[in-house]
Amino acid sequence: MALKLRPISYLVLGMVRFGATSGYAIKKAADASTAHFWPTSLAQVYPELARLHEAGLLDRSDDPHGSRSRAAYSLTEAGEEALRAWLRSPVEAKIQMRYEGMLRMFFADALSPEERLELYKRQRQKGRELKAHLFDGDLRGAAKAIDAGEMLAPILLGDFGEDMLDFIDEWVSRLIERFEAKIAEQAASD
């Protein structure tokens, strides 16, 4: 029976292809790039490395660092082909978004109008802080440093993320304006 590959499998294969050769390096690279749309943990990465190695999709070699023995991974031809086959395949899960702030805003009717307004403002501020961290700080520069002329996709996806955060900011700002107007209207009628 062939190994059933999952999204974490492809994340690991892709990060190894990008040059992350250890579990720690894969997690660090994912935290700096894909974590905002596909979070992962070391508890997922290390077992997946073992599965992919056992299936012949990754080669494993010893990579000693000090007194600690570490493993370094590289893609096999079969691993490279598995990654490419997945990229070519039109079959994928439906789009999902896990965004706790939106979940909170969905249930915001449980709060007083003043508390709802504060929640909306807090969510807008969190989005602005995330954008500043991702795009005004070192992360954008680090992503561009990865680009050696052939890795355009991560940069383009960064642009998508920045545009998405701009859209969320504009949407929440409109929500705040509408809600402030509604509160003012209710206060005037009281």
Side-chain angles (χ1 to χ4, degrees), residues 6-154:
R6 309 174 296 220
I8 183 66
S9 310
Y10 299 113
L11 182 137
V12 168
L13 292 171
M15 289 301 180
V16 170
R17 185 175 188 280
F18 275 178
T21 61
S22 70
Y24 176 77
I26 290 167
K27 173 68 169 115
K28 188 175 177 181
D31 286 349
S33 59
T34 61
H36 298 287
F37 58 89
W38 200 269
T40 190
S41 69
L42 286 173
Q44 293 174 302
V45 170
Y46 283 113
E48 196 58 33
L49 282 167
R51 273 177 20 98
L52 295 171
H53 174 252
E54 189 175 304
L57 301 178
L58 292 176
D59 280 331
R60 182 181 189 269
S61 61
D62 290 330
D63 185 20
H65 279 75
S67 63
R68 198 177 212 181
S69 177
R70 297 182 184 182
Y73 294 88
S74 60
L75 280 177
T76 64
E77 192 174 308
E80 183 80 31
E81 186 48 43
L83 180 61
R84 287 187 177 143
W86 172 68
L87 291 169
R88 291 177 185 126
S89 172
V91 178
E92 63 183 66
K94 66 180 178 178
I95 295 173
Q96 298 177 40
M97 186 167 94
R98 291 178 62 97
Y99 180 3
E100 185 179 348
M102 288 292 171
L103 185 61
R104 288 174 185 232
M105 289 192 288
F106 184 83
F107 292 114
D109 289 331
L111 299 173
S112 70
E114 294 78 15
E115 290 172 317
R116 283 174 69 183
L117 185 58
E118 181 57 35
L119 170 66
Y120 298 154
K121 288 179 178 180
R122 191 171 63 239
Q123 293 308 314
R124 179 176 60 185
Q125 184 58 34
K126 285 180 182 282
R128 288 176 176 176
E129 288 169 4
L130 177 60
K131 182 180 177 196
H133 167 71
L134 293 176
F135 301 105
D136 298 337
D138 294 335
L139 198 54
R140 174 56 67 92
K144 287 190 178 193
I146 290 172
D147 181 17
E150 68 178 67
M151 291 195 203
L152 181 61

